[in-house]
Structure formats: structure tokens, C-alpha cells
Amino acid sequence: MQALPQLRHEGWHRLPGLVVALAGILASYGWWQYQEGVMQSLANARFERQALAAADALQRRVQTKGDLLMGLRGLLMVNPDLPRADFERVAQSLKLDMGHGSVLNLHFTRAVPAAERSAFEVGARADPHVDGSLPSHFTIHPVLDVSEHFVVDFVWPVQGNEQVQGLDIQSQPANVQGYLVARDTGALVVTAPFSMAQEGPGGAAINIRLPVFLPAPPGQQPRFLGAVGALVSISVLVEGMRDRGYLDGLLLSVHDVGLATGAQPQPPQPLYMGDDLSVGSGHIRHDVQVGGRLWRVEIARTQSFLTPQEEHLPAIMAAGALLVTALLTALVALLARRRVQALAHAELASRAARESESRFRAVFNQAAVGMAQVHSAQGGVVRANQRFCELLCYDSEEIASLHMQDVIHPEDLPGNQALLARLIAGEIPEYRLEQRFRRKDGSQVWVDVTVSAMRGGDGPVRYHIVVVQDITERRNTEDELHYLAYNDLLTGLPNRRLLRDRLEQALVMSARHQTCGAVLLLDLDQFKTLNETRGHEAGDQLLRGVAERLRRCVGSGDTLARQGGDEFVAVLRELGGTSEEAAAHAEEVAQRMLAALHEPFELDGGEPHHTTLSIGVTVFGSQGEAAEDLIKHSELAMYEAKAAGRNTLRFYDPQMQAAVAARVQLEADMRVGLATGQFELYYQPKMADGHIRGAEALLRWRHPQRGFVSPAEFIPLAEDCGLILQLGQWVLHTACAQLAAWSGHPLLGGLAVAVNVSPRQFHESGFVAQVLQALAGSGAEARRLRLELTEGMLLQDMEDTIAKMVQLRGYGVGFALDDFGTGYSSLAYLKRLPLHELKIDQGFVRDVLTDPNDAAIARTIIALGSSLGLEVVAEGVETEAQRAFLERHGCRVWQGYLLAPPLPRERFEALVAERAAQAV
């Protein structure tokens, strides 16, 4: 890249930035000063508001003490001869120490004429206190030569105020002055401050007095009785305000400046000087009227009354202003520098324009991709490089006579023309697309096309450049990958992914046009056998042949896909307006498919092979069915077709889904039942010669909602889903634990318990270890455990069966062959099995008296067991005649409803005890 010319006048572009920086600093300083003033004004306003609130609170708290006196005055007005004890009792109920700590005492000062002094003293000494004691030393003191005494008659609390009783307050000028003012005005009066010994040095107290007048008849003056008063400590009052937060951040001093109505100001007398106002700032003076006197309250502050955020706000605002100044300075400096650079670029551009044309020609002719300059309005090729000519198989003279409309494939031309129109209109600067070009020989080539406008100033687009690159090979590869992604490689049919897309489309069209269609799931019968006997190559040939025949059975608008393995799916569209009509058409197609496979298939290296189909059909309409549900429903119907004998079709029935759902729910309930202990063991007794000698343990499931669930319902399901292993292990451990629990019982200790073992459980590799672990873990005797096997086990790995039985037999475990006669048992293997007993199936026992065949079978089994030295047990004995028949032919051991059905443990134990008692 060519370097820019050296910047001229490099110093001047810094000047605007310096000017902006200086102005910003000055503005930031002014802003900081302004914010400091605002915060200071805010702090002063808050201080003034707090100070006035404190002064008002002081005034209110003094006035509230006067409220205490109202009640006492009312008592005395009603009963001028109020006993001392009643006064003290009422004063005591006011609980001064709890709500009025600043009140040192409450008292009543009575006006006593000098002539009545002696009688008054005698009466006072006879008036007891609330505790019953008498003020025997009550005298009016000091002795004054006056016409009327003002004597403290009642005081509360008494303790600490003994000297106050009988005090003639005329000996205290300040005190008597307030008393006389109260008498003359009839209003609440506060005295001037005076010192009290209990308040300590500098402590001041006031006396609040309320006059008491006795009601008088009309036309007469009320008689003055005296005054009730409250002695209040100002220091305690102020400290109480401080404790309640009225003085947070404040320093306080209070002075009494005389009567509120006094014409001449008096020297201030201190009421409260507990704070040193000199250490505070921002002094405020406020006068309040209290009980006819004027108090001067001076307040100073000890804190700013601003939050930490407010204190730092001016600095933050100044910092923000400085930051903005820095940013503006940088921006202005950058703009100035950019202007200088723009001048340099303009100089460079004029030089580059001269070189542009020569470079364009060099790039145009030497480019590795095809390039052509095209007239935008007419589409004619103005010039093209050699690569463009080679791509289209034209020489340079021929290419100059062509128009781009002649080169672009007709199917791709509309899209190209629309984009070109937007390019000419200036809506887009360029566009890119993939399209097909036609060569001179008529063949087509896939190209990547980029079209850019050639602009000359602000005028319209006259020419554009077309850049093309051959991408035929890449497109072929993409088409091949797309085919592999959506088609089955073996049959060429759509695969599962494309099937899902086609089925979704069919459902949308069905809903839009209100028509019905169908999904057919086809599964080859016995295909696994072909793979195992003739190899996978023969299987692949068969799948290809089946796909070819099935493809001819569906219409062009339908889809036939390979689901996987030997499964095919057909999606049939627009089969009619009703589900019945669609079902009829779907059945026709399915029948054609079944018929198409009647002819044998010629497979390499073998004889012709015959195969059949099982088809499940599900009809869909406009009900909003899900594609996955349709496949599942068709699969259920297909399994019904297989169950019906194969080579047939079945339609989906919603009851199938209900049955499957019920089966799934039952499996889930079974797992919960195992975890929560819903399964129980019942015991059906075995009789031999009139005595109970053992029992068969039978599994029962007590469902919390359904009650008892039949074993015929849940045992097959447990076999299918694998839960039979857990159930079998639980039964084995529970039975062994019960044997161990019975071992010490005189009647139950000798009983043997038989446990049914499923084939799947028995053929587990660790079955022997499970049995031995159950015996060892419970402590049960192995000789009292019987394992009942079915004849079906003898058909699966006989050698393994015999080995496990012999191993367990060595530990003492016994074996019984259950339901003997219902399956296939080889007598050669039977004599090798270490059995203890054969059990005659109840199907033979039920009709042994009415069916000669069943009677003959029962006799044969009894004879066979006897010849092999095995004990024969009859199951399902329900009548005495059946038992007698079996005993007559040598079968002495039996079980059935003749004795008892399967019983829970408690009832089984009771039955054993009952039979033992009857035998005695």
C-alpha cells in the first residue's frame, strides 16, 4: 500500500483539542462548586427541620406532663376532702417510673388559712398513706407569719419526699410565684427553674402547677382549694428525648427567659446545659412557650445530615464532567487529524485513478476465473477474458456477439433478471447465485456467478461485471450426498428421513384439502430365516426385488420408503373425502402388494424363494394426527397381522393403543409396587395322609387402586419386560426368610415351601449363587426349600439345566416338575434330572372323574412317578371324589380348594394349628 503524503501543518490540529480541554476543566470546576452549594443547602435544610422538630418535641413533652395533673384535679374538684391514700393510689397507677421518668413527684399544695393551721395539722396526721401508715410527724414548715399557708398536703412517691410534706412553699419565691400565677389565671403554669440537690450540680427542675377551684353556685366566685403539681427534671426529660432519637446529630441547650407576657426581658436562667454547643456547627435559636414562660432553645449539629452518596456526589459529578471533557477533547483532536488525513487521501486518490484502468485490464485478462463486462440495459457482452470463453467453448469473436440471455439456462433466467433489475436500480451493490450456463455444444455447466455494478460517479449503472467459476463437480457431489442422505442405498427408495418429510407434507395437504390418506407399514415374513440360511447377500437381493414390485403398486403422487431392515412404509395421499372411502382404497393397494409377492423371487445361487408380507394400515384425515403416531399405529396393526397368521393386512384399532397404554401403565405400577412393598406371598397348603406337610408360595399383588391384580395378568408382562428377575429374587428371599422364621415353631418348623421359578430367572448365570445367598442370608434350611420348574425349561439348554439342579441338589435344595403332562418332556432327560416330585396339572385333575382320557393320563403320571421313585402331587383338587380317585391310584399328596385356597401367612399358620388340633 502506498504511504500517505506527509501531513502538513501537523501542529495546528492539536489546538482545537486544547481549547476544548481548557473549557471543559473550567466548566467542571464550576459544576463542582455548584453541586457543593446544593448539597450544603440540602444539609442546612435538613438540620433546620430536625432542630425545629426537636424544639417542638421538647414543648410537647412538657405539656404532656400537665395532662397527668388533669385527672388529679378532677378528683379533688369532685371530693375536696380526698383521702391521702386515694391520692397516692391514683398517682401510683400512673406508673411514673415507666412512662414519665422525668417526673420526680406529683403533689397537691393546699391553701390553708392561718387560723385553721392547728386543725389542719391534726387532720393531716390522722390521714393515712396508701400503705396504712400515718404521717405522725406532719407539720407545716417553716413557720411563717402569714395570713394563709400554701402547704404541700399530698406527695407521691412518698419515699424520698418526706421533707416535702407539710412544706409551706412561700419559703421558695420561685415556687410560690408560679403557685400564685396559677391561682390568679386559672391556667397551667410552669415555674422558673430552680436547683435540686438530687439533680446534682447544674441540674435544674421546674414545677408544673394546675389550680383546683371548687364549683360555686351561680353568681358566686369559685373557691380556690389549691394546686396539683408535678416536679419535672429537665435533664432527665432531655436525655429521654435523646434516647428516642429526637436529638440524633444535635447538641442542645435550654434557657428560661421569663414570663411569656413579660414586658421586660429577664436574664436567661439555664434549664439544660448538658451539651457543649461550641463543638458543633450551624447554630439555631428557637423560642417556645411552655406553661406561660418563654424558653430559648439553642441547637447545634454534629453531623452533615447527608448520606455518604450525597457527600460524594459533587466529586462524582466533577469526575464525570472531566471524563466527558477528556472524551470531547479526544474526539475533537481525532476529527482534526482525520481532516488532515482526508486531504492526503484526496491527493492519493487522484494518483490511484490513473493507475486503476491499467490494473483492471491486467486483472481482467489474467484472472483464473471467467470474467465478462456486460451492457446492463441490453445484456450484450462487451468483452470477456480467455477463461470465460473457454468455459462456454466460444472464441473471443463469437463471444462478443452473444447476449447473456443466450447463455443463461431458461429455467434460471427469471431469477437472474430480477436480481439484475435491483442492481441497476441501486437497491443492491452486487449479487451472487448459482445457476446453469449453456455451452456452444448445448451442454450445460453449473457456475457460481457474482455480478457487480460498474459505476461512473453518481450516474446510472451502464455496465456490470460478471465473474463465473465452474462448480459442476461440486454440485454433482452435493447431489450425490443429498441422494445418500434421503434415499436408501440398497433399494433406491426414500429412507426414514425423507419418509418423515413426505408424511408431514401429506398431513398438511390432507388438512388443507379436507381429504383422507393412509399409512401402510409392510414387514417381510420370515426374513430373518432367509438371512440366516442363505446369507445377507440373498437378503439384499430379496429386498431389492420386493422394493421393485411394491413400487409398481403405488401411484406417482404416493411415497414408498424403506423404514429399515425388512420394513417398508407406503404413504397414500388423497384417497377420498371420508375415512371409509380412504380405507377401501388403502385395502385395494394393500391387496395388490400382497398379490405382487405371490410370484417367487429368483435369487443368485439358489432355488426360487417365496415370501409374504404382513401389513398394518392406518387411515388419517384432517384431525391433526402426528406423523410419529401414525407410524406407531401402523406398526401395532402390522403386529396384529402377524399374530393373525401373516400374509394378511390389519387396520389400526384404537383399542390396540389402549391395550398398549394399559400394558405400559401396568409395567410402571409394577415397578412402583416392587419399590413400595405392594407384593405379598400367599401359601397354599399341601396335604399328605390327612396332615399338612408343606405349602406352595404364590405371588400376589395388592394394587392400591385396583385391589388384587391377577397373576395371569402381571406375570406374563413381567416375563416380557424383565421384571420377572426382580420379582423372582424377591419371592425367593421372602420365602427363605419365612422358612427361617418358622424353623423354631413346633408345628411349622417341619414344613417345606415350594417356590415357582421362571425360565428366564433359572437360566440366569448367577441363579445358583442367588439361591445360596438367599438361604445363607436368612438362615433357612436348604432341605425345606423346593424349586418348581416347568417342562418348558427342558427345551432350553438341557445340560445347563441339569448342571444347576445337581449343584443345588448337593446343598439339599429339592426340585419339582410343575404342570407335568402339558408340555413335551423327554423321558431320557427326565430320568437324569434330580427331581423330588412330579405335579399333575389341574387341567387333568379337574375332569378326572368325567373324561376317560384325563383319568388315563393321571394314572400314567402317577405310575411314571412311582417307577422313577418320585413323589406325585396333584394340583387343583376341589372335591372329595377327586381326592379319593387320586389316592386310590397311588397319589397321596395333593393341594387345592378342597382344603384351602392360597392364604396369607397369618391364616395359613392358623389353618396348620387348627388341623393339628383336630388330629389330636
Side-chain angles (χ1 to χ4, degrees):
M1 177 181 292
Q2 186 174 355
L4 295 176
Q6 185 176 4
L7 299 179
R8 293 169 295 180
H9 311 292
E10 293 186 353
W12 74 267
H13 71 275
R14 297 188 179 92
L15 182 59
L18 293 175
V19 173
V20 171
L22 181 59
I25 292 172
L26 294 176
S28 300
Y29 177 76
W31 182 244
W32 173 70
Q33 289 288 344
Y34 172 73
Q35 288 295 326
E36 283 285 348
V38 170
M39 290 298 105
Q40 188 61 41
S41 297
L42 178 61
N44 291 336
R46 289 179 180 172
F47 168 56
E48 291 176 5
R49 186 165 57 252
Q50 183 77 356
L52 292 178
D56 291 343
L58 176 63
Q59 183 181 30
R60 288 194 306 271
R61 292 177 72 85
V62 172
Q63 290 173 347
T64 57
K65 309 309 176 186
D67 295 341
L68 296 175
L69 305 179
M70 298 296 291
L72 297 176
R73 184 175 72 171
L75 288 174
L76 291 165
M77 290 176 65
V78 173
N79 184 8
D81 299 323
L82 181 72
R84 186 186 310 276
D86 289 350
F87 178 89
E88 293 177 353
R89 188 177 297 107
V90 172
Q92 183 180 20
S93 68
L94 296 177
K95 298 181 180 178
L96 301 181
D97 55 340
M98 297 179 62
H100 302 277
S102 60
V103 177
L104 302 179
N105 65 51
L106 294 175
H107 53 272
F108 171 58
T109 303
R110 190 184 299 271
V112 180
E116 300 176 5
R117 172 177 176 175
S118 299
F120 172 74
E121 288 178 341
V122 172
R125 293 188 193 104
D127 191 3
H129 291 291
V130 69
D131 60 359
S133 63
L134 293 174
S136 56
H137 300 291
F138 184 95
T139 58
I140 298 175
H141 61 280
V143 178
L144 300 175
D145 186 12
V146 292
S147 62
E148 188 176 22
H149 299 281
F150 303 141
V151 183
V152 178
D153 190 3
F154 303 150
V155 64
W156 180 264
V158 177
Q159 186 176 3
N161 293 289
E162 292 85 352
Q163 297 301 320
V164 176
Q165 280 192 329
L167 176 66
D168 189 341
I169 64 173
Q170 293 184 81
S171 62
Q172 299 176 349
N175 210 344
V176 76
Q177 180 187 10
Y179 185 86
L180 295 175
V181 171
R183 182 191 66 182
D184 296 340
T185 62
L188 180 75
V189 173
V190 174
T191 69
F194 55 89
S195 299
M196 294 188 63
Q198 58 265 44
E199 285 296 288
I206 60 172
N207 213 329
I208 304 174
R209 295 189 180 278
L210 187 64
V212 180
F213 291 93
L214 295 180
Q220 296 183 16
Q221 291 293 331
R223 185 170 69 87
F224 178 66
L225 184 65
V228 291
L231 186 62
V232 178
S233 169
I234 299 301
S235 60
V236 175
L237 181 69
V238 172
E239 292 305 319
M241 291 175 57
R242 193 181 304 281
D243 293 340
R244 287 167 174 79
Y246 288 104
L247 302 179
D248 289 346
L250 300 177
L251 299 174
L252 179 73
S253 70
V254 186
H255 290 80
D256 183 298
V257 296
L259 295 174
T261 60
Q264 295 296 329
Q266 299 179 5
Q269 301 181 60
L271 280 167
Y272 177 78
M273 297 295 290
D275 295 334
D276 184 5
L277 270 63
S278 64
V279 301
S281 60
H283 291 65
I284 290 178
R285 177 181 294 174
H286 184 63
D287 292 341
V288 297
Q289 290 189 17
V290 180
R293 299 194 70 82
L294 191 64
W295 286 4
R296 181 159 295 161
V297 181
E298 294 186 62
I299 301 175
R301 66 183 182 186
T302 60
Q303 63 184 35
S304 66
F305 288 94
L306 293 176
T307 65
Q309 293 81 2
E310 291 171 338
E311 290 179 348
H312 295 103
L313 182 60
I316 294 173
M317 298 295 287
L322 289 174
L323 178 60
V324 172
T325 298
L327 294 176
L328 288 175
T329 301
L331 178 61
V332 171
L334 179 63
L335 291 176
R337 184 174 180 82
R338 288 289 177 85
R339 185 176 185 277
V340 175
Q341 290 177 341
L343 295 174
H345 276 295
E347 184 178 342
L348 181 62
S350 63
R351 186 189 311 164
R354 295 189 294 271
E355 301 173 0
S356 177
E357 180 64 21
S358 59
R359 287 201 307 271
F360 173 75
R361 290 180 180 277
V363 172
F364 188 85
N365 294 321
Q366 298 175 14
V369 295
M371 297 182 65
Q373 182 180 359
V374 181
H375 194 284
S376 299
Q378 301 173 4
V381 179
V382 178
R383 56 181 171 178
N385 67 356
Q386 185 62 32
R387 179 61 184 142
F388 190 86
C389 296
E390 292 173 355
L391 186 65
L392 297 179
C393 301
Y394 288 99
D395 56 34
S396 56
E397 289 78 10
E398 293 173 330
I399 207 74
S401 62
L402 290 177
H403 288 75
M404 290 303 297
Q405 295 89 327
D406 303 327
V407 176
I408 301 174
H409 193 280
E411 295 180 1
D412 300 335
L413 186 58
N416 184 82
Q417 292 297 95
L419 290 173
L420 181 59
R422 295 182 62 193
L423 181 76
I424 296 173
E427 298 178 8
I428 54 176
E430 65 177 18
Y431 65 87
R432 182 177 180 181
L433 74 165
E434 295 180 2
Q435 58 185 191
R436 290 163 291 180
F437 278 6
R438 290 186 299 183
R439 288 183 169 134
K440 182 178 180 180
D441 59 4
S443 62
Q444 65 181 28
V445 57
W446 275 98
V447 291
D448 181 291
V449 180
T450 302
V451 181
S452 304
M454 295 182 65
R455 296 187 179 275
D458 297 331
V461 176
R462 297 183 57 195
Y463 301 97
H464 59 268
I465 296 296
V466 178
V467 180
V468 297
Q469 186 173 1
D470 187 355
I471 59 169
T472 303
E473 183 176 352
R474 194 200 79 194
R475 286 299 297 250
N476 290 339
T477 302
E478 290 177 353
D479 292 343
E480 182 178 356
L481 292 175
H482 183 273
Y483 180 83
L484 294 176
Y486 290 97
N487 292 84
D488 177 51
L489 190 60
L490 178 64
T491 62
L493 296 175
N495 61 9
R496 186 193 301 268
R497 181 184 299 175
L498 185 54
L499 167 65
R500 176 64 58 84
D501 183 65
R502 296 277 181 85
L503 181 52
E504 294 286 356
Q505 293 179 19
L507 290 173
V508 171
M509 295 300 294
S510 176
R512 182 179 303 168
H513 298 149
Q514 297 296 307
T515 58
C516 295
V519 175
L520 282 64
L521 194 143
L522 308 89
D523 187 87
L524 290 178
D525 298 327
Q526 307 296 340
F527 179 75
K528 182 179 179 183
T529 303
L530 173 66
N531 268 341
E532 293 175 348
T533 56
R534 300 181 63 175
H536 290 283
E537 180 59 33
D540 292 346
Q541 291 183 32
L542 177 63
L543 290 173
R544 284 193 291 268
V546 169
E548 183 60 32
R549 293 190 188 181
L550 294 178
R551 189 184 285 113
R552 295 194 292 266
C553 296
V554 298
S556 58
D558 301 326
T559 299
L560 177 68
R562 184 184 176 201
Q563 170 105 323
D566 59 344
E567 286 187 354
F568 298 85
V569 176
V571 179
L572 310 181
R573 301 168 55 179
E574 298 184 357
L575 297 180
T578 63
S579 58
E580 292 78 9
E581 187 178 356
H585 287 299
E587 184 174 7
E588 292 178 5
V589 175
Q591 292 294 349
R592 286 202 302 268
M593 291 177 172
L594 293 174
L597 269 63
H598 287 171
E599 294 296 326
F601 291 86
E602 298 292 336
L603 304 180
D604 294 341
E607 297 180 356
H609 179 77
H610 290 270
T611 188
T612 57
L613 286 173
S614 295
I615 304 176
V617 184
T618 301
V619 175
F620 62 83
S622 57
Q623 291 80 24
E625 299 97 330
E628 189 66 30
D629 291 341
L630 293 176
I631 298 294
K632 290 179 181 178
H633 295 167
S634 299
E635 188 173 13
L636 289 175
M638 181 269 293
Y639 284 125
E640 286 293 315
K642 284 190 177 294
R646 299 185 175 89
N647 193 26
T648 186
L649 65 93
R650 286 291 184 272
F651 281 86
Y652 168 73
D653 184 351
Q655 291 182 355
M656 299 178 191
Q657 184 66 28
V660 171
R663 183 181 177 90
V664 171
Q665 183 62 47
L666 188 64
E667 179 182 344
D669 290 350
M670 199 184 312
R671 295 183 187 277
V672 174
L674 265 172
T676 57
Q678 298 176 9
F679 288 92
E680 307 173 18
L681 278 187
Y682 274 45
Y683 300 90
Q684 187 171 36
K686 290 183 182 179
M687 289 289 291
D689 298 325
H691 299 283
I692 297 177
R693 54 177 292 181
E696 180 180 359
L698 299 170
L699 183 62
R700 293 295 183 265
W701 180 12
R702 191 191 301 270
H703 194 281
Q705 284 80 39
R706 299 176 53 185
F708 280 102
V709 181
S710 170
E713 183 178 355
F714 71 83
I715 291 296
L717 177 58
E719 291 276 4
D720 292 342
C721 68
L723 282 175
I724 194 65
L725 299 178
Q726 299 178 48
L727 283 173
Q729 191 170 2
W730 181 87
V731 170
L732 187 61
H733 280 268
T734 305
C736 289
Q738 191 58 61
L739 282 173
W742 286 342
S743 60
H745 195 280
L747 298 178
L748 302 171
L751 300 182
V753 174
V755 175
N756 290 284
V757 179
S758 73
R760 187 168 180 177
Q761 181 185 10
F762 185 84
H763 289 295
E764 282 286 303
S765 59
F767 175 72
V768 173
Q770 290 178 10
V771 176
L772 297 179
Q773 181 182 2
L775 289 169
S778 63
E781 297 182 46
R783 62 186 181 84
R784 292 172 57 205
L785 178 65
R786 295 286 186 271
L787 301 181
E788 294 193 1
L789 312 179
T790 61
E791 287 188 86
M793 293 186 187
L794 305 182
L795 303 178
Q796 303 179 28
D797 198 351
M798 176 61 74
E799 296 302 327
D800 177 68
T801 301
I802 294 174
K804 289 180 178 179
M805 293 176 66
V806 170
Q807 188 176 358
L808 289 172
R809 185 68 183 88
Y811 287 94
V813 178
F815 290 92
L817 192 58
D818 196 13
D819 300 334
F820 186 73
T822 60
Y824 171 77
S825 299
S826 170
L827 296 181
Y829 282 123
L830 190 62
K831 67 180 182 180
R832 294 176 55 194
L833 297 175
L835 295 171
H836 285 77
E837 61 186 49
L838 294 179
K839 300 189 74 173
I840 305 174
D841 184 70
Q842 60 182 345
F844 302 130
V845 174
R846 184 183 303 111
D847 298 326
V848 72
L849 300 176
T850 58
D851 189 336
N853 294 326
D854 287 347
I857 293 173
R859 289 194 298 269
T860 302
I861 293 174
I862 295 171
L864 177 63
S866 300
S867 64
L868 294 175
L870 303 177
E871 186 175 66
V872 179
V873 180
E875 293 183 303
V877 177
E878 298 179 354
T879 65
E880 178 60 29
Q882 292 172 347
R883 187 202 64 77
F885 174 87
L886 293 167
E887 185 176 1
R888 190 165 55 250
H889 291 89
C891 179
R892 297 176 173 274
V893 185
W894 57 275
Q895 64 185 76
Y897 277 64
L898 177 60
L899 175 60
L903 301 172
R905 176 184 56 81
E906 296 83 357
R907 292 180 57 191
F908 173 76
E909 293 173 349
L911 178 64
V912 172
E914 180 183 346
R915 298 291 297 190
Q918 292 176 358
V920 174

